[in-house]
């Protein structure tokens, strides 16, 4: 299991950065998905509304991340 945060790079694009201690920032929004759900959403096979995930923190931030997951057209 890996924790990743999203940062905006110098080119203005979001980049995932591995988090060493995910408990270090209590204000962070955490998103938990199983591998199948992550893969299906990342492939655009299922909508954000139909994706299975748990959000801890700001649910709107979590939903925006799930909305942005697809990397295939």
């Amino acid at each position: 299991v890996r924790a990743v945060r999203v940062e905006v790079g110098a080119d203005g694009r979001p980049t995932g950065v591995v988090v060493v201690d995910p408990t270090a920032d209590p204000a962070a929004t955490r998103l938990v998905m199983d591998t199948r759900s992550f893969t299906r959403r990342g492939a655009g096979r299922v909508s954000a509304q139909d994706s299975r995930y748990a959000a801890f923190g700001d649910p709107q931030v979590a939903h925006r991340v799930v909305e942005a997951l697809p990397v295939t057209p």
Side-chain angles (χ1 to χ4, degrees), residues 2-17:
R2 290 196 175 221
V4 180
R5 73 174 177 266
V6 178
E7 293 182 355
V8 178
D11 60 358
R13 298 181 65 198
T15 304
V17 178

Side-chain angles (χ1 to χ4, degrees), residues 7-50:
E7 293 182 355
V8 178
D11 60 358
R13 298 181 65 198
T15 304
V17 178
V18 175
V19 176
V20 177
D21 182 6
T23 62
D25 185 1
T29 296
R30 291 176 178 78
L31 180 66
V32 179
M33 300 177 91
D34 62 33
T35 302
R36 183 172 190 266
S37 297
F38 179 79
T39 303
R40 288 178 50 83
R41 180 64 192 139
R45 300 288 186 189
V46 64
S47 70
Q49 289 78 11
D50 293 333

